[in-house]
Amino acid sequence: MKLLYEMNILSDYINHDFAPLDAKDAVSSAQDFFIDLNFSHFPVIENGIFIGNVSAEDVDGFDFSKNLNEYKYTFETFFTRTTSVLLDVLDDFAKNESNVIPVLDEQNNYVGYYELEDVIRVFNETPFLRELGGVIIVEKEINKYSFSQITQIVEGNNGKLLGAFISNIDAEKVQVTVKLGEGGMNDIIQTFRRYEYEIISEHQEDEHLKTLKERSDYLDKYLNI
């Protein structure tokens, strides 16, 4: 799912407070690192290249007299990109049950890491969740829709677009969930129909938005474990 809104790029929140662990580091050093810091995982590099994430739980069971490179087979290789939008990063956190996600650029260079607490804070402050408004789901043939057209339809009817994301897609059609500021809903719906969008649903609080809120609540609970 792709979410579009004013704060869709998270690069300002890439963290550099702690350098990645090195595969040559002693296990004992990594154990001390996780004792001092409440991270579930942390990225590991080898010769400056990201090779995976080691978990605090695994490190606790390693032989303290060895080096991390002897346990590379336990490393988890999840990461996100500098270009990833907020919803993608939230999905990365949830799928990998981690409170740290390493960030790589398009050339696979290690850039830094996101912390779950920071990303949840950004998510909860977005207009998509915070602002009151209505939600509609529109559907159109995949080769005929565009986000620029959706924006034009909303703003051409004096509406305020708070967010939009692809909530379903197949080989022929795409569904887009659109959150609108209050007012002008009927005119916007009629214009969508004139542009050959089918109105799949129209709710003040749509199930897709509820799912996003539930995902945020889950991550909040995970953060506090």
Side-chain angles (χ1 to χ4, degrees), residues 31-180:
Q31 290 172 337
D32 290 341
F33 177 84
F34 283 112
I35 288 173
D36 293 337
L37 299 165
N38 188 31
F39 292 143
S40 63
H41 300 74
F42 212 69
V44 182
I45 62 172
E46 186 173 46
N47 299 320
I49 304 300
F50 170 75
I51 59 171
N53 303 280
V54 65
S55 77
E57 184 177 355
D58 286 344
V59 165
D60 188 54
F62 294 166
D63 184 337
F64 73 91
S65 66
K66 295 184 177 181
N67 293 337
L68 288 177
N69 59 16
E70 298 185 58
Y71 294 96
K72 286 192 288 187
Y73 64 91
T74 69
F75 295 175
E76 301 174 50
T77 57
F78 60 84
F79 62 88
T80 194
R81 297 287 185 187
T82 52
T83 53
S84 295
V85 296
L86 180 55
L87 195 59
D88 291 331
V89 177
L90 282 169
D91 281 341
D92 289 335
F93 275 115
K95 287 186 295 187
N96 294 291
E97 297 187 350
S98 174
N99 60 13
V100 169
I101 295 283
V103 183
L104 308 185
D105 66 17
E106 294 304 307
Q107 289 72 47
N108 293 323
N109 298 307
Y110 176 81
V111 177
Y113 59 92
Y114 290 130
E115 289 192 42
L116 177 58
E117 184 177 5
D118 293 336
V119 175
I120 288 178
R121 186 181 303 112
V122 174
F123 184 49
N124 288 336
E125 290 174 356
T126 60
F128 198 85
L129 284 188
R130 189 183 68 244
E131 299 292 329
L132 295 176
V135 176
I136 60 174
I137 301 176
V138 298
E139 182 178 84
K140 196 172 185 178
E141 292 179 33
I142 194 167
N143 60 345
K144 293 184 178 180
Y145 94 100
S146 73
F147 276 108
S148 60
Q149 186 179 67
I150 290 171
T151 301
Q152 179 184 352
I153 290 170
V154 173
E155 295 180 348
N157 287 282
N158 299 315
K160 181 180 180 183
L161 181 64
L162 298 177
F165 68 95
I166 295 173
S167 47
N168 194 26
I169 191 169
D170 58 31
E172 297 181 355
K173 293 186 177 182
V174 62
Q175 289 183 5
V176 182
T177 298
V178 182
K179 183 169 183 182
L180 308 169

